[in-house]
């Protein structure tokens, strides 16, 4: 099924920009994920930043992009690059990002395609379009200076996950920083993002209004829980996102020094190997390499059966939506000594959310009661409320555009705090255009 029907034009305005900088969110302006943002100035220079889809149930897609010659992809999460194959096949758009993001892109697109087929969700691009997108990828290192018409731009470390970048753009009128998903705090995998002086700051506000618990405190709570479950003879099932969380949790367990038998399954083990091919994007490739060598990698059916006797199993899907994690739950659920330790956000409609709210999980199409202890831990690699506010202050941004934020819960507290700090705050709505002149 084609979502963007032939002949239908984009919501993007056809009029030229008269002065200053125009920004227009195709998606992600007033929601989390699904990001696509067009920047254009009076000289007609135009860039698209990210083009993703939100892997919710059902997925959300951004508005149709107008013709763009170049798109910068901040990082390899599907909500930032899921629609790039469409751009590649329809507009032959050059895709820019770090080398690591480019390498992870293909497995992410393959997985997205596979899920859309299994779940029966429409996707406006086809498997062949992935090849075109891969061919159109242009890799750039951090701080490499790129000239694009009369603009200059560069990628800067964003924290968050390996290879994730912020985009710093200089136009004749404005200095711009676009954070992508970012975290100023170090994680096991990556060092945190650093502020850059700018006139306009586009900042993701996922955690607006929420403060993260101190990282060490949360990590200790997790390790204590693992120790307790293993001590009583149980197995901890740790559902974790493949791209970042799996490896972060693995490093944490390895560094803890606990005597554990840890098995790792799902796409996360493959992505860990890709990370190791690009050590320049890691805080410590030695830490990841050692942790990966320490864990047992599940790569066959018999490995999977053996993993049922492990102390800890780390696997996808992180939201218990299919993948090996469901296979494991189905086999571990009869022994109440086992436990499920969730390590990430559980979206509405996800298996993990149902488990938390109703104690049930859809297993092979049937809602099944799960009588295991379930715990949730905050291992987020997005900046929390305080980090967002401090970052904007250190950037000395005149204008702050809040995006990638829930407009009801997360954005209002950010607006209050940012205005109190003296910034002019913008709250974009998808499909609307805004111009900043001063
Ligand atoms: Zn995101
Ligand atoms: Zn992300």
């Amino acid at each position: 099924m084609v979502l963007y029907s032939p002949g239908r034009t984009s919501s993007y305005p056809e009029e030229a920009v008269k002065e200053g900088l125009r920004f227009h969110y195709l998606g992600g302006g007033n929601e989390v994920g699904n990001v696509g943002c067009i920047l254009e100035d009076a000289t007609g220079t135009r860039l698209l930043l990210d083009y993703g889809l939100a892997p919710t149930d059902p997925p959300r897609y951004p508005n149709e992009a107008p013709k763009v010659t170049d798109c910068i992809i901040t990082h390899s999460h599907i909500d930032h690059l899921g629609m790039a194959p469409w751009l590649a096949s329809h507009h032959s758009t050059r895709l820019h990002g770090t080398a690591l993001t480019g390498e992870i892109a293909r497995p992410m697109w393959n997985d997205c395609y596979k899920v859309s087929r299994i779940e029966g969700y429409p996707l406006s691009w086809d498997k062949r379009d992935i090849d075109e997108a891969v061919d159109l990828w242009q890799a750039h290192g951090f701080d490499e200076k790129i000239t694009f018409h009369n603009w200059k731009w560069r990628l800067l470390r964003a924290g968050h996950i390996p290879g994730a970048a912020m985009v710093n753009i200089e136009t004749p009128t404005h200095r711009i920083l676009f954070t992508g998903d970012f975290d100023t705090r170090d994680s096991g995998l990556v060092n945190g993002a650093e502020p850059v002086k700018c006139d306009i700051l586009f900042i993701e506000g996922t955690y607006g209004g929420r403060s993260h618990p101190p990282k060490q405190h949360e990590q200790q709570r997790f390790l204590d829980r693992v120790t307790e479950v293993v001590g009583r003879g149980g197995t901890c099932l740790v559902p974790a996102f493949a791209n970042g969380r799996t490896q972060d949790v693995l490093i944490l367990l390895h560094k803890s020094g606990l005597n554990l038998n840890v098995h790792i399954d799902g796409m996360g083990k493959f992505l860990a190997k890709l990370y190791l091919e690009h050590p320049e994007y890691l805080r410590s490739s030695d830490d990841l390499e050692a942790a990966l060598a320490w864990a047992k990698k599940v790569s066959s059916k018999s490995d999977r059966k053996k993993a049922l006797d492990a102390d800890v199993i780390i696997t996808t899907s992180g939201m218990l939506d299919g993948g090996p994690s469901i296979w494991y739950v189905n086999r571990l659920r009869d022994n109440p000594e086992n436990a499920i330790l969730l390590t990430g956000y559980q979206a509405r409609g996800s298996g993990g959310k149902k488990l938390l709210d109703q104690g049930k999980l859809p297993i092979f199409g049937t809602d099944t009661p799960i009588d295991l202890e379930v715990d949730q831990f905050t291992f987020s690699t997005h900046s929390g409320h305080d980090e967002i506010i401090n970052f904007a202050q250190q950037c000395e941004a005149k204008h702050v555009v809040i995006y990638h934020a829930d407009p009801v819960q997360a954005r209002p507290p950010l607006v209050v705090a940012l205005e109190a700090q003296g910034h002019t705050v913008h709250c974009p709505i998808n499909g609307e255009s805004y111009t900043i002149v001063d």
Side-chain angles (χ1 to χ4, degrees):
M1 178 184 155
V2 178
L3 283 172
Y4 298 161
S5 45
R8 205 192 127 221
T9 52
S10 163
S11 63
Y12 192 72
E14 288 180 7
E15 314 83 70
V17 181
K18 289 194 185 70
E19 54 178 338
L21 182 88
R22 176 162 73 195
F23 63 96
H24 179 109
Y25 278 88
L26 301 165
N30 48 340
E31 61 184 329
V32 172
N34 202 25
V35 176
C37 177
I38 296 182
L39 303 183
E40 184 170 345
D41 74 357
T43 65
T45 301
R46 176 192 287 183
L47 265 179
L48 174 58
L49 302 183
D50 283 341
Y51 203 37
L53 59 86
T56 43
D57 184 13
R60 301 192 312 278
Y61 308 90
N63 294 331
E64 182 176 336
K67 183 156 178 59
V68 279
T69 59
D70 293 76
C71 172
I72 305 173
I73 301 288
T74 58
H75 67 290
S76 54
H77 280 147
I78 209 70
D79 58 319
H80 296 258
L81 55 57
M83 290 296 289
W86 181 89
L87 277 179
S89 71
H90 282 72
H91 297 313
S92 300
T93 304
R94 285 182 291 267
L95 305 172
H96 303 266
T98 63
L100 180 55
T101 299
E103 282 207 35
I104 300 173
R106 185 191 277 275
M108 295 302 281
W109 288 324
N110 282 338
D111 192 59
C112 180
Y113 181 82
K114 193 174 93 186
V115 170
S116 77
R117 284 293 160 277
I118 293 171
E119 304 284 338
Y121 291 136
L123 203 57
S124 61
W125 49 266
D126 203 73
K127 206 145 196 229
R128 285 160 300 185
D129 300 332
I130 295 176
D131 294 329
E132 285 201 51
V134 168
D135 287 345
L136 284 161
W137 192 271
Q138 296 193 2
H140 305 282
F142 287 146
D143 218 22
E144 181 185 327
K145 293 175 181 60
I146 294 117
T147 301
F148 179 65
H149 303 296
N150 54 343
W151 295 6
K152 288 191 179 60
W153 63 267
R154 60 182 176 149
L155 302 174
L156 298 170
R157 190 181 65 230
H160 190 51
I161 59 168
M166 305 192 290
V167 188
N168 184 203
I169 305 169
E170 265 186 51
T171 76
T173 55
H174 292 96
R175 297 168 303 163
I176 299 159
L177 184 68
F178 187 91
T179 61
D181 286 355
F182 85 116
D183 196 347
T184 56
R185 304 165 305 156
D186 296 341
S187 74
L189 278 173
V190 287
N191 288 313
E194 281 163 19
V196 176
K197 305 264 184 294
C198 59
D199 304 309
I200 309 173
L201 172 65
F202 292 83
I203 200 162
E204 67 116 338
T206 314
Y207 276 83
R210 282 182 290 169
S211 298
H212 292 312
K215 212 161 213 179
Q216 272 176 327
H217 179 267
E218 195 67 357
Q219 290 174 342
Q220 194 54 52
R221 193 168 75 83
F222 175 77
L223 294 172
D224 289 348
R225 198 78 189 88
V226 169
T227 306
E228 190 186 328
V229 173
V230 172
R232 70 186 184 210
T235 295
C236 297
L237 179 66
V238 180
F241 306 128
N243 195 357
R245 191 62 42 82
T246 289
Q247 302 81 6
D248 245 349
V249 171
L250 181 63
I251 290 173
L252 171 65
L253 287 167
H254 179 238
K255 275 191 153 179
S256 74
L258 293 171
N259 183 20
L260 294 169
N261 177 18
V262 175
H263 291 234
I264 163 172
D265 197 351
M267 193 163 78
K269 67 178 192 296
F270 169 68
L271 295 186
K273 287 179 193 154
L274 278 188
Y275 291 173
L276 285 172
E277 286 172 22
H278 295 272
E280 68 273 25
Y281 296 110
L282 298 171
R283 184 178 171 189
S284 160
S285 57
D286 289 349
D287 284 355
L288 179 58
E289 198 162 9
L292 199 61
W294 171 70
K296 296 194 177 58
K297 274 76 69 187
V298 175
S299 50
S300 67
K301 262 189 184 164
S302 66
D303 284 355
R304 203 164 273 179
K305 280 192 186 133
K306 278 184 219 151
L308 292 169
D309 294 323
D311 295 328
V312 179
I313 304 164
I314 308 170
T315 188
T316 45
S317 112
M319 293 196 207
L320 291 164
D321 286 323
S325 60
I326 294 295
W327 187 92
Y328 287 114
V329 173
N330 199 29
R331 275 151 189 88
L332 295 171
R333 68 189 166 95
D334 293 330
N335 181 355
E337 284 168 356
N338 301 329
I340 299 173
L341 311 186
L342 299 168
T343 58
Y345 170 72
Q346 305 295 312
R348 216 174 332 123
S350 68
K353 185 82 178 125
K354 192 168 224 175
L355 180 64
L356 286 169
D357 293 347
Q358 303 169 30
K360 288 181 196 162
L361 204 55
I363 296 184
F364 306 122
T366 310
D367 272 358
T368 311
I370 305 295
D371 293 325
L372 300 179
E373 290 170 5
V374 180
D375 261 302
Q376 193 173 20
F377 298 87
T378 306
F379 289 153
S380 167
T381 52
H382 292 266
S383 288
H385 182 89
D386 298 342
E387 288 91 17
I388 294 170
I389 302 304
N390 288 339
F391 189 82
Q393 184 175 44
Q394 288 174 303
C395 288
E396 298 174 12
K398 181 167 190 193
H399 296 272
V400 179
V401 181
I402 306 167
Y403 74 103
H404 199 290
D406 182 280
V408 179
Q409 308 284 343
R411 207 166 59 182
L414 286 176
V415 173
V416 171
L418 288 167
E419 283 183 344
Q421 217 164 244
H423 309 279
T424 302
V425 181
H426 305 261
C427 296
I429 295 169
N430 295 339
E432 303 273 330
S433 296
Y434 307 83
T435 306
I436 294 176
V437 176
D438 58 339

